[in-house]
């Protein structure tokens, strides 16, 4: 009885999930979590070699993994890729807008191209992919969209003004999507990771002064591990979160509670 309840509430069997940037870092951890809960997971990225290599590794572990190589900032590529996926697997049930980049510059000297590049990947692409999958979600009367925000959806640090603007915008886009699509049975929520050990944060982790500051200021006393996001992503993708909409959940070891 209890197992049946857990399966009904948290199981993702029969669902298809698309995870942008899902072949590495936080996206990979989320992809593994969703697939382990029973979903067919489609890994997205721009490098065919990297995406296919990771997909093959996960399939060898018994997970149901597909791949979709396309540029999430290219409107035409996004729409064509979603159509192909729908033809092969049916509508996308779960979308995780995870792909992100950083380009660090002080705002006063930041090139416009660098500002736009960060907004394109972290914010505009989330809109493009969500817009493409939501038609199918509307048709079936259900769907889950999870946007990967950041501490910088609420906080700012020097040299990351473009990233903070993009992630702050993504938080409001999450709320707007929920406001427009909740009546169609679609839940749109966000996860705001704190400082996790990934390729993107490698240089920060290796900076002794910054590492000491993070560990000293974070109540948990350490950096997060990518696998620690998997459970939250599964929850937000599952029936268990069916009345949660437009929210951003911090996963930051308590940092925003005390900073």
């Amino acid at each position: 009885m209890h197992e049946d309840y857990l399966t009904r509430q948290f199981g993702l069997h029969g669902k298809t999930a698309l995870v942008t940037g899902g072949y590495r870092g936080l996206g990979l951890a989320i992809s593994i979590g969703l697939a382990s809960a029973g979903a067919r997971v489609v890994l997205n990225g721009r490098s065919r070699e990297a995406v296919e290599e990771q997909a093959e590794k996960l399939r060898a572990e018994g997970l149901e993994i597909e791949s979709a190589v396309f540029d999430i900032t290219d409107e035409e590529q996004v729409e064509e890729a979603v159509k192909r996926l729908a033809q092969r697997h049916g509508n996308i049930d779960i979308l995780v807008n995870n792909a992100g980049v950083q380009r660090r510059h002080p705002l006063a000297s930041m090139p416009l191209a660098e500002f736009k590049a960060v907004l394109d990947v972290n914010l505009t692409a989330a809109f493009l992919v969500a817009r493409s999958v939501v038609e199918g979600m509307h048709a079936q009367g259900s769907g889950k969209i999870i946007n990967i925000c950041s501490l910088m959806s609420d906080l700012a640090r020097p040299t990351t003004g473009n990233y903070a603007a993009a992630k702050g915008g993504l938080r409001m886009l999450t709320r707007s999507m929920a406001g427009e699509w909740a009546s169609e049975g679609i839940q749109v929520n966000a996860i705001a990771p704190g400082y996790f050990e990934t390729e993107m944060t490698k240089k920060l982790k290796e900076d002794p002064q910054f590492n000491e500051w993070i560990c000293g200021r974070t109540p948990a006393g350490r950096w997060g591990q990518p696998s620690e996001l998997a459970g939250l992503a599964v929850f937000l993708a599952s029936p268990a979160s069916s009345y949660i909409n437009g929210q951003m959940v911090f996963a930051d070891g308590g940092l925003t509670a005390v900073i």
Side-chain angles (χ1 to χ4, degrees):
M1 177 178 176
H2 296 301
E3 288 184 3
D4 289 343
Y5 172 81
L6 291 176
T7 299
R8 289 196 307 272
Q9 290 297 300
F10 296 98
L12 301 178
H13 296 278
K15 303 296 185 181
T16 298
L18 170 62
V19 183
T20 67
Y23 67 100
R24 64 179 181 178
L26 299 182
L28 175 59
I30 290 170
S31 296
I32 292 172
L34 297 177
S36 298
R40 173 195 296 116
V41 176
V42 181
L43 307 184
N44 158 262
R46 290 187 298 180
S47 169
R48 183 171 300 278
E49 181 179 357
V51 172
E52 295 293 354
E53 180 181 356
Q54 190 59 253
E56 189 61 35
K57 287 180 181 178
L58 297 181
R59 282 194 288 266
E61 296 175 10
L63 299 177
E64 190 172 0
I65 302 292
E66 302 288 340
S67 61
V69 179
F70 62 94
D71 183 349
I72 59 172
T73 67
D74 185 305
E75 182 178 14
E76 184 175 341
Q77 286 191 39
V78 168
E79 292 179 353
E80 289 180 355
V82 170
K83 286 179 183 178
R84 287 196 301 270
L85 289 171
Q87 291 169 354
R88 283 160 48 193
H89 305 300
N91 295 324
I92 299 296
D93 302 292
I94 302 159
L95 167 64
V96 182
N97 281 312
N98 162 79
V101 296
Q102 282 199 24
R103 299 286 187 272
R104 293 176 179 272
H105 290 282
L107 284 171
S109 60
M110 182 177 293
L112 179 59
E114 296 289 88
F115 190 87
K116 286 184 174 180
V118 170
L119 262 68
D120 283 348
V121 175
N122 292 284
L123 177 58
T124 306
F127 158 71
L128 289 176
V129 183
R131 187 185 64 179
S132 293
V133 305
V134 80
E135 182 178 356
M137 292 180 176
H138 283 164
Q140 65 191 19
S142 64
K144 300 280 189 172
I145 298 175
I146 304 169
N147 295 322
I148 305 302
C149 289
S150 168
L151 286 179
M152 292 183 194
S153 296
D154 267 12
L155 305 173
R157 294 189 64 250
T159 75
T160 61
N162 49 0
Y163 189 75
K167 291 298 189 178
L170 187 57
R171 180 177 192 177
M172 292 308 301
L173 182 61
T174 299
R175 290 178 170 180
S176 297
M177 288 176 175
E180 293 195 17
W181 299 339
S183 63
E184 304 289 337
I186 299 167
Q187 290 85 55
V188 188
N189 293 291
I191 296 173
Y195 286 93
F196 280 73
E197 290 189 49
T198 67
E199 183 178 327
M200 184 182 289
T201 61
K202 186 173 185 292
K203 290 184 179 179
L204 294 176
K205 181 71 165 56
E206 292 174 349
D207 181 331
Q209 184 176 0
F210 190 82
N211 181 60
E212 182 180 1
W213 185 84
I214 289 298
C215 293
R217 291 293 291 171
T218 303
R222 61 178 177 84
W223 292 64
Q225 297 301 311
S227 61
E228 293 179 288
L229 278 188
L232 178 54
V234 169
F235 167 65
L236 291 177
S238 74
S241 61
S242 60
Y243 201 57
I244 299 174
N245 228 329
Q247 302 305 305
M248 184 174 77
V249 183
F250 286 96
D252 62 1
L255 182 58
T256 51
V258 300
I259 199 167

